[in-house]
Amino acid sequence: MTQQDKQLVPGGKAADRMLGPPIVMIEKVCKSFGENHVLRDVSLTVRQGEVVVICGRSGSGKSTLLRCIDQLETIDGGTIRAAGHLMGFRERNGKRQPLRDAEIAVQQRDLGMVFQNFNLFPHISVIENITLAPVRILKRKRAEVREEARELLKRVGLPDKENAYPRQLSGGQQQRVAIARALAMKPKVMLFDEPTSALDPEMISEVLDVMTGLSEQGMTMIVVTHEMGFARAAADRVILMHDGGIVEEAAPEKFFGNPESEHTRLFLSKILHH
Amino acid sequence: MNWSWDFFFAYLTNGLMLRGAWTTIWLSVISMIIGLGLGVVAAMMKMYGSRALRWIAEFYIWLFRGTPILIQLVIIYTGLPQLGIRLTVIESAIIGLALNEGAYLAEVIRSGIMSVDKGQTDASRAVGMTWRQRMWLVILPQATRTIIPPLGNQFNGMLKTTSLASVISMEELMRSAQMLAQIEFRVLESYTVAAVWYLVLVSIWGLIQMRIEAHYEKPFGPAAAVSPEARRDLEKALEKAGPA
């Protein structure tokens, strides 16, 4: 089903999707880089199967929030629970201890992340990009993982690209491989950090179609993007971040139709009139 | 003029020379491999180690880059016995050459690692790799591409630096030439043959290096390797941008 088809379904999105229990719980998270307070007491709960779109101006903290969830940045305060893990810490007798690198790595395996610049491994082929982590980290059987990787490549519409190197693919193709690579670890939550921002306009839809497909299959997704079409079509909730905090949090109809915050109105008027 | 082609050609395939050339080859390869290991460890210590480890690595690099390899070899072979450490000629030559090489390679490897895009660390952490896994599976293989050309250059140098081991009586090419020269006093012919052998070894290495570089460049291939789809996308984009 493409994005266009989906908009024809009345009441689409959350209405035809069953949401499960909370799977990402962010409480009062703070993060600063030196004097710069990038996140100020951010709290957010995402339920299983939910698609949350985060937007906001650059520097509003949205990418940092995503990177904190996946422990690519360490938080200065607050709590992040995701996929059953207390991210970055262990709790012992009510006290918190930071985890070691290898322990954080285990937590990260349950979250998938897609980056603005794809960040495929350029020295190995497409199929090796997808199988590397399951084979070398989860120690699964190579033949079995390869079979799954081929399935994933079909799912993202690149069945004939398994032996290509990343450099030989267009940006849109690379991003779809990056999605397949993340999915190969069977993550419980997928995080997208501006997945289409580095793409030429005509390649954006091929990536968004794959993401829409994922959301329809019940994947929990947190997506930082400026693609408001995607937000309308696929999101259960749209969030606006401003100055390191969440200023608007609403279903897409309300977010686009009748937002409460002045910031949202300003943001929408800027982004929709360009 | 007293140059003799007969001696020259005879020396070229003389058993002593051939054994010397072979020794030069394996001495270079073994010292290089050990030096590479030392270089990787020193680079890692310097980049990611605690303050003490960093200091040890810095000291090692400073010491071995700051003193002549000739003195290092002589100290290891003829000086250390004074402290009760007795090493054979072969052991001394390998240890000296490898320690010296490692100090140079540490810097080469460090710059190779630093040349890998930061996004690669993000991506490998995001799929749940530990530090060791991302180093081994993602960062070092990519650094290799940057490291190979200077590494090849270093090995070229190593093939010739082994000649210094002749002073501790390691029987490599240089020493073979010396011995030959003392037998029949054909000094010019002996050393010229040694020089020719060095040229041959270095040239063969040059060819091998080209192949290794090509292998590591393959994934990053030339523009000709762009897929038809990617090219079509590109053309479409250009068309769209079209007449401004």
Side-chain angles (χ1 to χ4, degrees):
Chain A
M1 203 151 76
T2 67
Q3 217 181 310
Q4 285 77 24
D5 293 333
K6 184 149 190 193
Q7 277 166 325
L8 298 176
V9 181
K13 302 167 289 253
D16 51 16
R17 220 175 12 233
M18 290 286 286
L19 296 186
I23 190 164
V24 177
M25 285 156 285
I26 301 167
E27 270 170 58
K28 299 197 169 198
V29 163
C30 297
K31 171 73 186 172
S32 32
F33 296 108
E35 292 288 289
N36 187 9
H37 297 279
V38 184
L39 296 177
R40 303 162 193 261
D41 285 337
V42 174
S43 297
L44 172 69
T45 301
V46 178
R47 296 169 64 188
Q48 202 169 6
E50 197 176 10
V51 176
V52 174
V53 164
I54 304 176
C55 48
R57 292 204 318 237
S58 66
S60 59
K62 52 198 194 316
S63 283
T64 305
L65 178 62
L66 221 54
R67 291 174 63 83
C68 285
I69 296 173
D70 203 20
Q71 289 297 298
L72 297 179
E73 308 285 353
T74 43
I75 53 177
D76 300 332
T79 314
I80 297 176
R81 285 176 202 277
H85 304 291
L86 173 62
M87 298 303 289
F89 296 93
R90 92 158 52 75
E91 246 166 347
R92 196 171 278 170
N93 310 328
K95 271 188 191 159
R96 262 208 237 169
Q97 298 167 334
L99 293 177
R100 285 181 292 121
D101 176 76
E103 295 168 317
I104 291 174
V106 173
Q107 298 184 329
Q108 286 169 322
R109 286 167 205 170
D110 286 332
L111 307 179
M113 180 118 175
V114 173
F115 300 90
Q116 181 174 351
N117 296 319
F118 333 131
N119 292 341
L120 289 180
F121 305 131
H123 61 300
I124 50 179
S125 67
V126 162
I127 191 131
E128 288 165 334
N129 261 275
I130 300 170
T131 58
L132 183 69
V135 172
R136 303 301 293 269
I137 294 165
L138 301 181
K139 312 285 182 207
R140 293 182 49 207
K141 287 205 188 75
R142 188 177 295 269
E144 184 185 300
V145 174
R146 262 188 182 260
E147 226 18 76
E148 283 179 18
R150 290 201 182 95
E151 281 305 310
L152 283 170
L153 278 174
K154 260 186 231 160
R155 222 164 122 188
V156 299
L158 296 166
D160 53 339
K161 289 291 177 227
E162 60 175 272
N163 294 317
Y165 284 104
R167 197 56 70 88
Q168 296 168 309
L169 304 181
S170 70
Q173 292 172 330
Q174 287 192 49
Q175 194 60 298
R176 285 184 281 156
V177 173
I179 293 172
R181 174 177 69 180
L183 290 175
M185 292 296 281
K186 302 189 192 310
K188 299 188 175 110
V189 178
M190 283 286 283
L191 309 169
F192 294 83
D193 188 5
E194 305 207 32
T196 58
S197 296
L199 296 178
D200 288 332
E202 71 276 10
M203 293 174 202
I204 290 176
S205 67
E206 66 189 48
V207 172
L208 292 181
D209 284 349
V210 168
M211 290 167 60
T212 308
L214 259 184
S215 73
E216 278 158 4
Q217 286 151 15
M219 177 61 76
T220 311
M221 293 163 57
I222 305 178
V223 185
V224 169
T225 185
H226 288 140
E227 290 298 326
M228 292 301 119
F230 175 80
R232 272 181 209 273
D236 298 293
R237 236 181 326 153
V238 186
I239 283 169
L240 185 86
M241 285 190 68
H242 182 81
D243 248 355
I246 292 174
V247 292
E248 180 100 35
E249 186 176 351
E253 297 79 22
K254 184 159 188 312
F255 186 92
F256 293 106
N258 185 25
E260 278 172 20
S261 164
E262 193 51 46
H263 291 300
T264 313
R265 265 177 237 136
L266 203 66
F267 175 79
L268 287 175
S269 77
K270 273 189 183 149
I271 204 160
L272 296 178
H273 296 153
H274 277 282
Chain B
M1 205 177 90
N2 193 19
W3 166 268
S4 160
W5 286 106
D6 288 343
F7 276 109
F8 175 78
F9 285 115
Y11 286 171
L12 213 47
T13 52
N14 178 290
L16 195 60
M17 275 299 191
L18 293 182
R19 275 198 302 278
W22 172 240
T23 302
T24 293
I25 293 172
W26 66 251
L27 180 61
S28 301
V29 170
I30 291 174
S31 305
M32 193 71 187
I33 290 170
I34 298 173
L36 194 57
L38 288 171
V40 171
V41 172
M44 293 287 171
M45 282 165 69
K46 198 170 163 179
M47 293 181 80
Y48 307 105
S50 63
R51 186 186 297 228
L53 288 179
R54 223 164 42 224
W55 194 84
I56 293 170
E58 301 254 16
F59 178 74
Y60 160 64
I61 294 167
W62 171 78
L63 184 67
F64 280 87
R65 291 213 310 178
T67 54
I69 172 79
L70 195 52
I71 293 183
Q72 293 164 18
L73 285 169
V74 171
I75 287 179
I76 290 169
Y77 182 60
T78 54
L80 289 186
Q82 232 171 291
L83 303 178
I85 305 169
R86 262 164 239 285
L87 298 166
T88 65
V89 171
I90 293 175
E91 286 164 354
S92 304
I94 291 175
I95 290 171
L97 290 167
L99 280 172
N100 188 264
E101 194 61 30
Y104 281 93
L105 288 181
E107 293 298 293
V108 169
I109 289 158
R110 197 169 69 96
S111 62
I113 291 172
M114 288 197 303
S115 74
V116 178
D117 183 58
K118 290 273 170 291
Q120 293 295 310
T121 304
D122 281 350
S124 43
R125 290 184 68 198
V127 291
M129 290 189 198
T130 60
W131 184 86
R132 207 179 282 232
Q133 288 165 336
R134 37 182 207 272
M135 262 302 144
W136 197 245
L137 299 172
V138 176
I139 309 294
L140 282 178
Q142 289 182 63
T144 305
R145 176 173 168 244
T146 323
I147 291 169
I148 289 279
L151 193 69
N153 206 28
Q154 286 293 123
F155 188 69
N156 176 309
M158 172 67 91
L159 282 167
K160 293 167 289 181
T161 305
T162 51
S163 64
L164 293 174
S166 62
V167 300
I168 57 168
S169 68
M170 180 81 194
E171 291 182 15
E172 41 63 69
L173 254 179
M174 177 69 184
R175 178 85 175 156
S176 297
Q178 279 171 354
M179 293 195 294
L180 219 49
Q182 278 158 19
I183 295 170
E184 295 170 297
F185 301 107
R186 285 286 167 180
V187 176
L188 186 57
E189 286 85 348
S190 311
Y191 288 114
T192 307
V193 163
V196 168
W197 266 111
Y198 280 113
L199 278 172
V200 169
L201 294 185
V202 164
S203 304
I204 292 171
W205 169 246
L207 294 176
I208 295 171
Q209 190 187 342
M210 259 166 59
R211 296 213 131 184
I212 298 176
E213 278 177 32
H215 172 80
Y216 280 96
E217 281 300 319
K218 203 176 111 206
F220 302 89
V226 172
S227 72
E229 286 88 348
R231 186 168 301 157
R232 218 177 308 134
D233 286 340
L234 192 69
E235 276 161 13
K236 257 196 283 175
L238 285 172
E239 226 169 83
K240 222 172 183 181

